[in-house]
Amino acid sequence: GETLPKLSCGSANLLVRRYCELIHSIVQDLSFPARAGVFLFTQMIGASTMARSGRTLGAVGRSVRARSFASVSQAADAPRPRQLRRFYRSVSVEKAPHNQYTVKLDSRTLRTPAKAAFAVPTEQVAVLVASEWEAQQKYVEPHTMPIMSLCATAIDQIARNPADNVEHLLPFLENDTVCLRDDSESPLRRRQEEAWDPLVEWVTSTMRVPLTIKHDLFTSGQPEETVDEFRSLLRSQDAFTLAGLNVAASSLKSLVLAIGLLRERITAQEAVTLARVEEDMQAELWGFDELFHGVDVADTAIRVASASILFKSL
C-alpha cells in the first residue's frame, strides 16, 4: 500500500536508457520476427508517458526506435542458413492406406520430423495441413503450421505410447485452474465462481463424479473416482485427439477446460477467457502490458484455437 517515490526527469530518462540498452543488446541475438516485435514495442515507448510522473519519454523512445529499426533492417537482409527454403511447387491431398489421408509436396509424400509417413484419419485434417504447407512463402516456417505440428506429435510421439500420454495429462486435473479458488470472500473469488462454477457443474453432471474445489496448491488433489473417470475418458481417445488435449490443457493449465473444448461445451475464445480470470482482474487493477500480457494471450489463443480446429476436423 506504500507509494513509490517519484523519479526526477533525469533519473527516469537514465533508468529507461539503461533498460533500452539492455533491450538493444538482447535484440542482436534474436530472429527477425522477434526483432520486429521489439521494434513495435519501442514504438509504444516513444509514444508513451510515465503515468505516475506525467513526463514524456519521447526522446528516449525515438532513440531506441532508430536503433531497433536498424537491427530489424539488418536482420531482414541477413542470410538464414538454418531455415528451409520452400522446395516444392504444388501441394495436394491423396487417399492413403487404412482409410487414411496424406499430403503430397509435388510428387513426394509428406513425412513427419521423425521420418514417419504422414497419414491422418480424415480428409478435413489433411486439407488443413495441406493449406499450411501451401501458405509457406520463400521459407518454410514451422511455427506457422500448428495443425501440422499437432499431427506430427500424434504420429511421432503419442501413437507410440498413448498410455504414457494419458498419465502425463492427469496432473493437470490435480491442480486444475477451475478448481483452484481464492480463499477469501473477495471480488476475485466471486468472479471465479461466476466464471467456473457452470463448467464444474457440467462436469459433475455429465461424468457423474465430484470435483474438489481447493484454496491452495498443498491440499490433496481430486478424489480417486474422479481421476479414474478422467483416465478412462482419455484412454478412449485417439492419438490426434490426445495431441490436441495436450496442447489445450498445457496452455489453459486445465484439463477440465480442455475437455470442455473437446466436447464443444465452450469455444476456444471462451476457454482462453476462462483460463485468464485472475490475469484479467490483475490487468484491470494494474494495467494491461501489451508486450508481456498481449503476447501471452495471443500465443495461448493460437494454441487453443488450433486444438479446437483439430477436434472438429477429426
Side-chain angles (χ1 to χ4, degrees):
E2 296 181 359
T3 302
L4 294 175
K6 293 183 178 180
L7 294 173
S8 66
C9 186
S11 299
N13 281 340
L14 178 61
L15 179 62
V16 175
R17 282 183 186 278
R18 288 179 177 174
Y19 177 64
C20 293
E21 288 290 339
L22 176 61
I23 292 177
H24 182 68
S25 66
I26 295 173
V27 161
Q28 304 307 310
D29 298 325
L30 297 179
S31 63
F32 171 67
R35 291 192 190 191
V38 173
F39 172 60
L40 292 176
F41 171 58
T42 56
Q43 282 188 311
M44 291 188 292
I45 291 179
S48 69
T49 59
M50 290 186 69
R52 290 188 175 88
S53 68
R55 297 186 176 94
T56 304
L57 301 179
V60 177
R62 286 193 293 274
S63 172
V64 180
R65 276 207 311 279
R67 298 182 68 181
S68 298
F69 181 74
S71 299
V72 173
S73 299
Q74 292 169 6
D77 297 332
R80 303 182 183 187
R82 295 182 180 179
Q83 285 189 289
L84 177 66
R85 286 181 175 273
R86 176 167 173 158
F87 56 88
Y88 53 92
R89 291 180 178 274
S90 63
V91 183
S92 59
V93 172
E94 292 190 4
K95 198 75 180 289
H98 309 296
N99 201 32
Q100 292 185 310
Y101 294 85
T102 190
V103 174
K104 282 201 168 184
L105 307 179
D106 295 333
S107 60
R108 288 173 283 193
T109 301
L110 181 63
R111 291 190 172 273
T112 67
K115 308 302 180 184
F118 183 86
V120 293
T122 69
E123 187 176 13
Q124 294 95 316
V125 175
V127 169
L128 287 172
V129 173
S131 299
E132 290 180 339
W133 282 94
E134 182 61 42
Q136 302 304 300
Q137 302 298 316
K138 185 177 181 181
Y139 295 97
V140 175
E141 304 278 4
H143 65 273
T144 65
M145 296 189 284
I147 306 299
M148 172 65 194
S149 177
L150 285 170
C151 292
T153 299
I155 296 169
D156 288 342
Q157 300 177 31
I158 298 176
R160 296 178 180 180
N161 200 339
D164 278 359
N165 185 260
V166 168
E167 296 306 315
H168 172 75
L169 277 168
L170 287 173
F172 287 109
L173 181 64
E174 296 296 304
N175 292 303
D176 201 288
T177 293
V178 304
C179 297
L180 192 60
R181 310 290 176 85
D182 188 32
D183 61 356
S184 62
E185 293 298 328
S186 62
L188 173 59
R189 173 74 171 273
R190 290 193 292 272
R191 186 172 297 192
Q192 289 172 331
E193 291 172 347
E194 291 173 2
W196 296 338
D197 280 357
L199 201 60
V200 170
E201 293 170 4
W202 171 76
V203 169
T204 56
S205 63
T206 56
M207 299 185 69
R208 300 185 183 283
V209 290
L211 281 176
T212 299
I213 303 301
K214 301 167 48 176
H215 301 289
D216 60 67
L217 295 173
F218 306 104
T219 305
S220 59
Q222 299 297 331
E224 185 176 349
E225 61 177 312
T226 301
V227 176
D228 288 343
E229 186 64 26
F230 272 84
R231 180 182 286 110
S232 177
L233 172 63
L234 294 173
R235 285 179 174 176
S236 68
Q237 308 302 319
D238 61 56
F240 294 91
T241 301
L242 288 175
L245 287 172
N246 255 298
V247 168
S250 60
S251 300
L252 301 168
K253 305 299 184 290
S254 168
L255 185 56
V256 171
L257 289 175
I259 295 298
L261 188 69
L262 172 64
R263 295 287 181 85
E264 298 188 28
R265 172 62 176 75
I266 53 176
T267 65
Q269 183 176 354
E270 290 169 340
V272 174
T273 300
L274 289 170
R276 295 186 56 83
V277 169
E278 295 173 2
E279 289 88 343
D280 288 346
M281 189 164 187
Q282 289 176 1
E284 291 175 11
L285 294 173
W286 305 107
F288 185 83
D289 190 312
E290 292 288 348
L291 179 63
F292 297 104
H293 297 124
V295 170
D296 181 59
V297 172
D299 179 66
T300 302
I302 291 171
R303 292 174 179 273
V304 174
S306 300
S308 178
I309 291 170
L310 179 63
F311 293 153
K312 294 177 180 180
S313 301
L314 289 170

